[in-house]
Amino acid sequence: MTATAEGGGPGTSRPWTLWPAAPGAPARPAVAVPAPRRPRVDVRVRVVRPDDAAALTGLCLANRDYLRPWEPERGEAYFTLEGQRANVHDLLDAHGAGEMWPGVVLVDGRVAGRITLNNILRGPLQSCFVGYWVARANAGRGVATEAVRQVLDVAFRELRLHRVEAFTRVDNHASQRVLERNGFRQVGVARRHIHVNGRWHDERLFERLAPWDDGITLNSPL
């Protein structure tokens, strides 16, 4: 799942808490991270559940053409209730193994998209990738921006990861704005990185370090 979204919406997010640097850590220049704007609707993220399969089936069918330019090609089975049940089952297996955090985006209590922390790596890396999409009906309302803000809390506080990365197609400016509003910085461009919509596409790589990063500490001090 690549980062696919549109952002926007009024409101103000709370700032990140800054942890003190570890003794002997090099001084870091202050980096201002603009607070994402909050949407008018109620946005929540949570781990996907087996009973989400029906809602996800409807969303995938309704947004099939909308997501086609950004998502990998899917077989017909993916767009059936049985296919979504199998997909959710596989996601929860990977979650149980600590390999990913598979979530859904809720708008006013109803499933409106997907958001996932993929490829969770421990040891000396302590990192993951974030991918997301929001249904067309909620595009441009700040939903994706708020969902990413909340899943960063999961990554840095609950999972205690040090780094979150994201890829977006170079022409997916809406998704890039979502990441930038959440403090991501562009690292570079990966050439011919993903094959979607019938061809290979370049993608921009973005990164976001944990707010407690001091250049030395391996794990969150929380």
Side-chain angles (χ1 to χ4, degrees), residues 72-154:
E73 185 174 349
R74 310 286 191 184
E76 290 300 320
Y78 183 82
F79 299 94
T80 66
L81 179 57
E82 293 75 14
Q84 284 301 307
R85 283 174 174 163
N87 185 49
V88 170
H89 180 272
D90 291 345
L91 293 173
L92 291 175
D93 276 353
H95 181 237
E99 299 169 356
M100 65 160 52
W101 188 93
V104 289
V105 181
L106 305 178
V107 173
D108 294 334
R110 304 182 69 175
V111 177
R114 288 270 314 277
I115 189 162
T116 305
L117 299 174
N118 297 291
N119 195 28
I120 294 175
L121 300 175
R122 295 297 184 176
L125 293 177
Q126 298 295 326
S127 66
C128 71
F129 285 89
V130 63
Y132 50 88
W133 60 262
V134 172
R136 186 172 191 171
N138 288 290
R141 304 175 70 190
V143 172
T145 299
E146 176 63 13
V148 171
R149 185 192 73 80
Q150 291 183 27
V151 89
L152 286 175
D153 264 342
V154 174

Side-chain angles (χ1 to χ4, degrees), residues 15-16 18 28-36 179-185 208:
W16 285 95
L18 297 180
R28 291 183 300 155
V31 177
V33 177
L179 296 173
E180 289 165 350
R181 288 174 186 142
N182 279 286
F184 281 80
R185 292 183 172 184
R208 173 74 156 85

Side-chain angles (χ1 to χ4, degrees), residues 10-92:
T12 303
S13 167
R14 63 174 174 78
W16 285 95
T17 302
L18 297 180
W19 280 264
R28 291 183 300 155
V31 177
V33 177
R37 295 177 297 172
R38 293 288 183 87
R40 296 182 186 273
V41 293
D42 179 48
V43 179
R44 305 291 173 91
V45 301
R46 63 161 169 77
V47 172
V48 68
R49 301 190 303 228
D51 59 3
D52 292 324
L56 288 169
T57 302
L59 275 184
C60 289
L61 283 169
N63 291 275
R64 188 172 186 175
D65 291 338
Y66 174 64
L67 295 174
R68 192 187 307 276
W70 315 105
E71 290 277 290
E73 185 174 349
R74 310 286 191 184
E76 290 300 320
Y78 183 82
F79 299 94
T80 66
L81 179 57
E82 293 75 14
Q84 284 301 307
R85 283 174 174 163
N87 185 49
V88 170
H89 180 272
D90 291 345
L91 293 173
L92 291 175

Side-chain angles (χ1 to χ4, degrees), residues 198-211:
R199 55 161 292 188
W200 287 99
H201 295 268
D202 296 349
E203 289 199 303
R204 299 189 191 280
L205 172 62
F206 289 80
E207 66 176 8
R208 173 74 156 85
L209 298 182

